[in-house]
């Protein structure tokens, strides 16, 4: 008889299955991550959302976008493995948040975004902010120094 899987476990497994398909993790490692870390992620996200009213899809999307950017910029096997672990955890937290928000109901005035949409929005925000900083830091050609 198969056991019933919770919605948060299903969401976390969906995220982690991507790593299995890409060959970055094996099934045993995924099972250990779920067994050892899912209850921590779910408890933390649920407590922050319900009791303190913290967290939003954009917050978790920003964390995933930052982790993905760091992973893409990482050079070397050890750096990619460390940044990949951070990316995995942030994606799992974002998936758990989406389930908790669906179960508890959205807060008044909260945006209704999927984790993928939130990551895309926050990635665009990060890119725009980087361009603004680079433009401000670049010397302007027809200015004179005082």
């Amino acid at each position: 008889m198969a056991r019933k899987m919770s919605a948060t476990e299903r969401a976390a497994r969906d995220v982690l299955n991507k790593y299995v398909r890409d060959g970055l993790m094996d099934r045993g490692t995924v099972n250990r991550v779920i067994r050892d870390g899912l209850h921590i992620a779910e408890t933390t996200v649920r407590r922050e959302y319900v009791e303190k009213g913290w967290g939003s899809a954009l917050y978790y999307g920003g964390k995933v976008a930052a982790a993905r950017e760091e992973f893409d910029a990482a050079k070397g096997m050890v750096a990619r493995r460390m940044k990949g672990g951070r990316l995995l955890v942030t994606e799992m937290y974002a998936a758990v948040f989406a389930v908790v928000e669906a179960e508890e109901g959205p807060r008044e005035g909260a945006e209704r975004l999927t984790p993928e949409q939130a990551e895309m929005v926050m990635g665009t925000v990060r890119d725009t902010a980087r361009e603004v900083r680079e433009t401000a830091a670049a010397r302007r050609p027809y200015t004179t120094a005082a």
Side-chain angles (χ1 to χ4, degrees):
M1 181 168 160
R3 70 179 178 85
K4 184 170 166 66
M5 191 179 304
S6 70
T8 52
E9 183 177 352
R10 179 76 267 152
R13 284 195 183 279
D14 290 344
V15 167
L16 295 176
N17 282 338
K18 177 177 57 174
Y19 290 88
V20 172
R21 282 191 303 272
D22 293 342
L24 300 173
M25 296 177 82
D26 59 44
R27 183 64 54 199
T29 304
V30 167
N31 290 336
R32 280 192 302 280
V33 167
I34 296 290
R35 183 183 65 236
D36 297 340
L38 180 62
H39 69 284
I40 296 169
E42 183 177 3
T43 302
T44 303
V45 169
R46 193 172 298 279
R47 182 175 162 272
E48 299 298 323
Y49 186 77
V50 174
E51 293 179 14
K52 298 184 178 182
W54 293 348
S56 72
L58 291 176
Y59 171 79
Y60 288 103
K63 293 293 186 181
V64 172
R68 189 173 308 285
E69 185 177 301
E70 290 175 5
F71 177 73
D72 292 341
K75 304 272 190 263
M77 185 180 72
V78 174
R80 286 190 62 82
R81 186 166 179 92
M82 296 300 292
K83 299 302 180 183
R86 179 168 183 246
L87 177 60
L88 178 139
V89 169
T90 57
E91 284 182 338
M92 189 168 83
Y93 267 78
V96 168
F97 174 79
V99 170
V100 168
E101 185 181 40
E103 288 176 353
E104 300 293 335
R107 289 190 301 270
E108 175 113 11
E111 65 286 335
R112 296 292 299 162
L113 300 171
T114 66
E116 293 81 18
Q117 291 169 329
E119 180 187 350
M120 186 179 71
V121 167
M122 293 310 291
T124 304
V125 168
R126 290 177 61 82
D127 292 343
T128 304
R130 185 180 314 104
E131 289 173 12
V132 168
R133 282 192 307 272
E134 290 170 356
T135 302
R139 286 193 61 102
R140 293 182 176 79
Y142 298 109
T143 58
T144 58

